[in-house]
């Protein structure tokens, strides 16, 4: 029976395939030996006696336990390398007759800037800046608007202002640092009238003559002279340079002229009356560079500090247990009367039997509460002696108050309060309470 065409084609194809030789054998890829397996230990575990034999269940169990114990040993542990310890070389003490070697200066033979400085008679790059160079740098910084100054330049201005006694004696370091970020320099030609009732002025270059003989302080109204010698500037001038500066400057008692580093003006905003304008005015005797601290900046700084301080006082009173439900308006009235006060550790705030003179709110630290306790001490079978002793009854911690009843009702304290460590309190004196 003849086959159909399709099966005949498949059969002929299969016969043709059988006559084709098989493809050549390919080698299997080699297995990489792991660095972290001990193959000798693994081979010993695989041929351990007792695992494959079935003589008794006890021998199989003991072989199994041995296998589990030895199994972790086939894994090699990584060796931890500790950092190398360097031996510190001992300093050699110079022997007598030999000088200690000084550190070598960098080679400046190819630095053209150093040769130019030497040719003009100036100091080299490695020498510290003298007073004149610092003053020139200070003036260049003040010529910039405060918004364009870098952090380093703001720090330089602050450091220079810290060396002026008329500022440091009446302003705190934080206030001076804040004001240094807004100071500017003004240039005045010879014969100009500088009115100083809108700020505090420091003459950096040149001289001026005051229209009156006495001047007010920055803040208070006490009279004080305007010219002075800044003793702090001795730190960054050489002895010869400082002697020359002293020779040029005059003391205020001998010469009323305002020279370099002299001051005039005020930081208090005053009404611009004709008398005040004359009192704070100077006339320049030559071209001058004058540093100005605006009075408006100081007033704004004071108002911001007062707001922050009042906010802190209000927060303190609100956290005290007896004032949590008080309305804000009532606490604001107390805030206006509060003063900050610090007490050293071991200080007796009030003794038992006495009326305290203020109401206190503890901001930091704590106070111990003591009470006089009278006890009986047995001396002999029929004799007893009274013994009085202060016993600690408790503590007054942060955000707690005391003294309200004693001040308002004029009732003596029944205990003694002593500070345990340095304590900062917000206090309201009794005279302020009774006045209001």
């Amino acid at each position: 029976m003849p086959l159909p065409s399709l099966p005949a084609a498949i059969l002929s194809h299969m016969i043709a395939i059988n006559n084709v030789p098989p493809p050549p054998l390919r080698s299997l890829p080699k297995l990489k030996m792991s660095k972290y397996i001990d193959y000798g230990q693994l081979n010993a575990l695989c041929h351990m006696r007792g695992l494959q034999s079935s003589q008794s269940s006890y021998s199989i169990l003991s072989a199994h336990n041995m296998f589990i114990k030895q199994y972790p040993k086939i894994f090699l542990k990584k060796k931890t390398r500790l950092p190398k310890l360097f031996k510190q070389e001992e300093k050699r003490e110079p022997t007598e007759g030999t000088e200690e070697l000084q550190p070598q200066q960098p080679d400046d033979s190819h630095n053209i800037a150093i040769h130019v400085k030497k040719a003009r008679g100036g100091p080299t790059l490695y020498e510290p800046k003298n007073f004149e160079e610092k003053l020139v740098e200070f003036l260049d910084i003040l010529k910039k608007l405060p918004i364009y100054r870098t952090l380093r330049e703001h720090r330089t201005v602050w450091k220079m202002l810290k060396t002026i006694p008329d500022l440091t004696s009446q302003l705190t370091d934080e206030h001076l640092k804040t004001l240094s970020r807004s100071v500017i320099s003004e240039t005045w030609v010879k014969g100009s009238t500088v009115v100083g009732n809108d700020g505090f002025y420091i003459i950096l270059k040149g001289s001026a003559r005051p229209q009156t003989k006495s001047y007010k302080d920055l803040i208070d109204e006490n009279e004080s002279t305007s010219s002075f010698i800044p003793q702090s500037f001795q730190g960054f001038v050489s002895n010869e340079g400082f002697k020359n500066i002293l020779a040029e400057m005059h003391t205020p008692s001998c010469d009323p002229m305002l020279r370099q580093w002299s001051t005039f003006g005020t930081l208090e905003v005053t009404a611009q009356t004709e008398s005040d304008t004359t009192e704070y005015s100077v006339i320049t005797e030559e071209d001058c560079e004058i540093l100005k601290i605006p009075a408006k900046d100081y007033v704004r700084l004071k108002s911001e500090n007062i707001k922050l301080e009042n906010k802190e006082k209000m927060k303190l009173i609100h956290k005290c247990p007896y004032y949590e439900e008080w309305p804000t308006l009532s606490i604001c009235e107390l805030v206006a009367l509060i003063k900050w006060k610090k007490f050293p550790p071991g200080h007796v705030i009030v003794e038992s039997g006495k009326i305290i003179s203020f109401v206190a709110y503890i901001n930091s630290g704590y106070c111990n509460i003591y009470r006089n306790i009278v006890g009986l001490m047995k001396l002999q079978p029929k004799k007893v002696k009274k013994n009085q002793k202060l016993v600690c009854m408790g503590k007054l911690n942060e955000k707690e108050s005391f003294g309200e009843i004693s001040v308002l009702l004029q009732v003596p304290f029944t205990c003694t309060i002593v500070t345990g460590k340095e304590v900062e309190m917000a206090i309201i004196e009794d005279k302020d309470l009774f006045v209001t």
Side-chain angles (χ1 to χ4, degrees):
M1 180 179 175
L3 291 172
S5 59
L6 182 60
I10 293 173
L11 181 61
S12 61
H13 180 67
M14 291 175 66
I15 294 170
I17 288 174
N18 287 333
N19 295 329
V20 176
L25 295 175
R26 294 183 181 179
S27 60
L28 294 174
K30 292 183 179 180
L31 294 175
K32 290 184 179 179
M33 305 286 284
S34 177
K35 297 179 181 179
Y36 307 111
I37 294 179
D38 186 353
Y39 288 94
Q41 189 71 21
L42 179 61
N43 188 32
L45 282 179
C46 292
H47 295 84
M48 184 178 290
R49 292 180 181 180
L51 288 178
Q52 298 177 356
S53 63
S54 58
Q55 296 175 359
S56 66
S57 60
Y58 176 76
S59 61
I60 294 174
L61 183 60
S62 60
H64 175 74
N65 292 336
M66 182 63 67
F67 180 87
I68 294 299
K69 279 187 180 180
Q70 298 296 330
Y71 177 73
K73 294 183 179 180
I74 69 172
F75 298 103
L76 299 175
K77 294 182 180 179
K78 288 183 181 180
K79 293 183 179 180
T80 55
R81 292 186 178 180
L82 297 175
K84 190 177 179 181
L85 297 176
F86 295 94
K87 291 183 179 180
Q88 189 175 5
E89 294 184 1
E90 297 181 357
K91 270 191 174 182
R92 295 183 180 178
E93 296 183 359
T95 56
E96 294 182 2
T98 60
E99 296 182 357
E100 192 175 352
L101 294 176
Q102 297 293 333
Q104 293 184 353
Q105 295 287 347
D107 185 17
D108 54 4
S109 58
H110 300 286
N111 195 335
I112 188 64
I114 293 176
H115 291 289
V116 171
K117 277 186 171 286
K118 286 182 178 179
R120 294 180 179 177
T124 64
L125 292 178
Y126 307 112
E127 293 180 6
K129 292 182 180 179
N130 57 19
F131 174 75
E132 294 299 330
E133 287 182 333
K134 290 203 172 190
L135 180 59
V136 171
E137 181 186 5
F138 183 50
L139 290 173
D140 291 339
I141 294 172
L142 293 177
K143 289 295 181 184
K144 297 181 182 180
L145 289 173
I147 195 173
Y148 294 120
R149 295 173 194 164
T150 62
L151 289 175
R152 178 186 167 277
E153 290 172 342
H154 280 300
R155 199 177 299 112
T156 301
V157 174
W158 176 43
K159 287 182 179 179
M160 292 291 281
L161 293 182
K162 282 170 65 177
T163 59
I164 301 174
D166 278 7
L167 292 175
T168 55
S169 62
Q170 302 181 65
L171 294 174
T172 63
D173 200 24
E174 284 299 320
H175 288 181
L176 193 59
K177 186 176 182 179
T178 305
L179 291 174
S180 67
R181 296 170 187 160
S182 60
V183 297
I184 56 175
S185 175
E186 297 178 348
T187 303
W188 296 85
V189 296
K190 181 179 179 182
S192 301
T193 301
V194 184
V195 180
N197 62 345
D198 62 340
F200 190 72
Y201 293 81
I202 304 166
I203 299 176
L204 303 177
K205 202 174 180 182
S207 60
R209 185 175 297 277
Q211 290 191 356
T212 55
K213 292 184 180 180
S214 61
Y215 282 81
K216 293 182 180 179
D217 287 341
L218 278 74
I219 303 166
D220 302 327
E221 295 188 354
N222 300 326
E223 291 187 354
S224 66
T225 53
S226 301
S227 185
F228 66 92
I229 298 173
Q231 299 177 359
S232 303
F233 276 78
Q234 299 181 22
F236 40 79
V237 294
S238 60
N239 292 334
E240 295 180 0
F242 188 66
K243 289 178 182 178
N244 295 333
I245 294 170
L246 289 178
E248 293 177 3
M249 298 176 69
H250 298 271
T251 56
S253 58
C254 301
D255 189 1
M257 187 75 70
L258 302 179
R259 302 186 183 276
Q260 191 179 30
W261 306 115
S262 298
T263 61
F264 63 93
T266 179
L267 284 178
E268 294 293 336
V269 176
T270 56
Q272 294 187 1
T273 59
E274 187 176 349
S275 60
D276 288 339
T277 302
T278 306
E279 185 176 6
Y280 291 110
S281 299
V282 298
I283 300 173
T284 57
E285 294 292 321
E286 53 185 317
D287 294 347
C288 294
E289 290 287 341
I290 302 177
L291 181 146
K292 178 185 177 182
I293 302 176
K296 291 181 179 179
D297 292 346
Y298 179 70
V299 172
R300 186 174 65 251
L301 174 64
K302 278 204 308 183
S303 64
E304 289 176 358
N305 287 339
I306 290 172
K307 287 179 182 178
L308 289 174
E309 191 174 348
N310 289 343
K311 190 176 180 181
E312 187 179 354
K313 292 175 182 177
M314 187 174 293
K315 188 177 178 181
L316 173 62
I317 296 176
H318 255 307
K319 286 190 175 182
C320 291
Y322 299 109
Y323 298 86
E324 291 175 353
E325 303 297 330
W326 271 42
T328 304
L329 289 176
S330 301
I331 293 180
C332 286
E333 293 180 5
L334 294 180
V335 165
L337 306 176
I338 280 180
K339 300 173 185 175
W340 292 109
K341 197 167 184 180
K342 286 186 178 181
F343 296 93
H347 182 81
V348 179
I349 303 294
V350 61
E351 292 182 359
S352 177
K354 292 186 178 180
I355 300 174
I356 194 169
S357 60
F358 56 83
V359 178
Y361 307 88
I362 301 176
N363 187 41
S364 63
Y366 67 91
C367 296
N368 293 319
I369 303 172
Y370 293 95
R371 196 161 188 176
N372 286 322
I373 302 296
V374 178
L376 299 175
M377 187 170 59
K378 191 175 181 180
L379 298 178
Q380 292 179 3
K382 294 183 180 181
K383 288 187 179 180
V384 176
K385 182 182 178 182
K386 287 184 178 181
N387 190 12
Q388 189 175 358
K389 191 176 181 181
L390 278 176
V391 179
C392 184
M393 307 297 293
K395 285 184 180 181
L396 287 168
N397 296 313
E398 294 180 5
K399 310 300 182 289
E400 291 186 352
S401 62
F402 62 91
E404 294 94 340
I405 296 175
S406 179
V407 170
L408 295 175
L409 303 180
Q410 292 296 294
V411 177
F413 258 72
T414 58
C415 56
T416 301
I417 298 179
V418 183
T419 57
K421 61 178 183 179
E422 188 180 50
V423 177
E424 184 183 31
M425 297 182 186
I427 66 169
I428 303 177
E429 295 183 359
D430 52 359
K431 58 182 181 181
D432 297 329
L433 282 174
F434 294 137
V435 167
T436 55

